[in-house]
Amino acid sequence: MRIHLIAVGTRMPSWVEEGYGEYAKRLPRECGLALKEIPMAKRQRNSDIARLVADEGQRMLAAIPDGSHVVALDVTGKQRGTPELAAALEQWLAGGRDVCLLVGGPDGLAPACLQRAHERWSLSLLTLPHPLVRILLAEQVYRAWSIVQNHPYHR
């Protein structure tokens, strides 16, 4: 199984790439984490935001491998504690399908992405900066894997 983090936005600061990379490299091959960056549509003063978000969404949907279990990160999604995430990861691993985590841009995910998702997950009631979300997701996936594997990282 592979976990695909499909996120809107490119050219992240080096601290984001380093933080994400640190946790992604810790995951074993059978639970690998791969980042697919989707370029953010250029916003201008009079931009049609709904159209731009829809365009980003179409590019995100095109990046989803066939047969994947899709999880949309959305404020309306279910909040999970670390043990619940570990249980979900265990189910994903047992299912044998790739998992795609969809992270939208500053204006959220396109309705088409939300409709395509098998489930929705909310990281927090707080508004988090999108670059930080990448690191947070990588760390939490690694932490969940460490719980499933009875690894001492999560104590």
Side-chain angles (χ1 to χ4, degrees):
M1 178 192 83
R2 197 156 179 80
I3 300 174
H4 304 268
L5 174 52
I6 303 173
V8 172
T10 57
R11 295 182 285 157
M12 292 291 129
S14 61
W15 63 269
V16 174
E17 292 175 6
E18 290 170 16
Y20 170 84
E22 178 60 33
Y23 293 106
K25 76 179 181 186
R26 293 182 186 190
L27 287 162
R29 186 179 188 109
E30 65 269 10
C31 186
L33 184 61
L35 175 63
K36 171 66 176 165
E37 293 180 317
I38 304 298
M40 186 169 68
K42 192 166 196 155
R43 277 126 171 101
Q44 297 174 352
R45 185 180 303 200
N46 297 322
S47 294
D48 179 354
I49 299 299
R51 185 183 57 77
L52 297 178
V53 170
D55 290 346
E56 292 167 353
Q58 289 305 310
R59 290 195 302 272
M60 292 181 88
L61 293 173
I64 298 172
D66 291 338
S68 295
H69 180 79
V70 179
V71 180
L73 276 87
D74 184 68
V75 70
T76 66
K78 177 183 177 184
Q79 290 192 8
R80 290 185 165 128
T82 303
E84 291 86 13
L85 179 58
L89 180 65
E90 199 164 29
Q91 287 180 333
W92 297 341
L93 285 165
R97 297 166 55 188
D98 281 2
V99 173
C100 292
L101 304 175
L102 304 182
V103 178
D107 298 299
L109 283 170
C113 291
L114 295 173
Q115 290 171 355
R116 171 68 175 82
H118 297 100
E119 59 182 294
R120 295 181 190 187
W121 175 21
S122 174
L123 291 179
S124 173
L125 293 176
L126 299 171
T127 300
L128 301 171
H130 285 77
L132 188 58
V133 166
R134 293 179 186 202
I135 300 170
L136 182 67
L137 280 172
E139 192 280 336
Q140 285 299 297
V141 168
Y142 176 68
R143 183 176 296 275
W145 175 84
S146 73
I147 291 171
V148 169
Q149 298 299 315
N150 201 24
H151 185 276
Y153 177 78
H154 179 76
R155 359 180 212 279

